[in-house]
């Protein structure tokens, strides 16, 4: 939990409130959010499939990132009333609108990664299941 009266939080709110680029980066920023968005761009995934496709992320962080993106309206969570419980995540319309942004960021990284001879986009941690 963040202190609500901190200078850091005030600065973040000021920047995100006045800069569209900063707002966008705040929504998709973080180590795992782009990877999660990339996977969900291919369709809805059950939590277990999403977890399996990101073996390096801890369960705690994955849940935290999913909750943040759900609160921001980028993804939706559907719980099926069955035993055992089944939970699926998918992109919302707002989340789908980020697909071109993710593609441009991937292409930019491919072209500008230091020491990279390769000019085709790559994401080795992004294993689509």
């Amino acid at each position: 939990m963040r202190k609500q009266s901190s200078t850091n939080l005030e600065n973040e709110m000021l920047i995100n409130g006045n800069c569209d680029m900063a707002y966008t980066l705040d929504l998709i920023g973080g180590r795992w959010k782009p990877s999660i968005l990339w996977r969900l761009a291919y369709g809805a995934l059950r939590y277990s499939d999403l977890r399996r496709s990101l073996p390096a992320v801890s369960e705690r962080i994955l849940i935290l990132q999913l909750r943040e993106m759900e609160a921001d309206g980028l993804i939706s969570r559907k719980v099926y009333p069955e035993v055992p419980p089944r939970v699926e995540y998918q992109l919302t319309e707002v989340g789908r609108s980020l697909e071109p942004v993710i593609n441009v960021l991937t292409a930019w990284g491919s072209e500008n990664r230091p020491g990279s001879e390769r000019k085709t986009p790559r994401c080795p941690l992004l294993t689509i299941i």
Side-chain angles (χ1 to χ4, degrees):
M1 191 80 193
R2 291 174 68 170
K3 185 176 168 186
Q4 294 299 313
S5 61
S6 72
T7 304
N8 189 24
L9 180 61
E10 290 174 11
N11 288 340
E12 180 182 336
M13 291 173 61
L14 178 66
I15 290 168
N16 290 344
N18 293 313
C19 178
D20 297 333
M21 179 186 58
Y23 172 74
T24 304
L25 291 173
D26 186 54
L27 286 181
I28 65 171
R31 183 169 293 163
W32 299 105
K33 285 181 182 179
S35 299
I36 294 166
L37 291 169
W38 180 281
R39 282 167 178 73
L40 293 177
Y42 290 91
L45 285 174
R46 293 178 67 168
Y47 173 80
S48 58
D49 294 332
L50 194 54
R51 175 79 175 100
R52 213 177 359 262
S53 73
L54 293 162
V57 66
S58 71
E59 189 166 349
R60 177 183 167 276
I61 296 298
L62 178 59
I63 290 169
L64 179 67
Q65 299 279 274
L66 288 169
R67 285 182 182 160
E68 285 178 10
M69 289 192 296
E70 185 180 10
D72 291 334
L74 301 179
I75 64 173
S76 64
R77 177 179 185 262
K78 184 173 183 180
V79 180
Y80 292 89
E82 24 183 87
V83 177
R86 179 171 53 123
V87 178
E88 271 188 359
Y89 292 91
Q90 65 183 8
L91 293 178
T92 62
E93 287 302 313
V94 174
R96 281 232 171 269
S97 70
L98 282 169
E99 286 182 48
V101 175
I102 299 294
N103 290 333
V104 167
L105 289 171
T106 302
W108 188 92
S110 174
E111 292 174 13
N112 295 286
R113 179 187 309 273
S116 177
E117 301 288 323
R118 186 178 178 154
K119 294 300 178 193
T120 57
R122 66 182 176 129
C123 285
L125 289 178
L126 301 181
T127 307
I128 304 302
I129 53 173

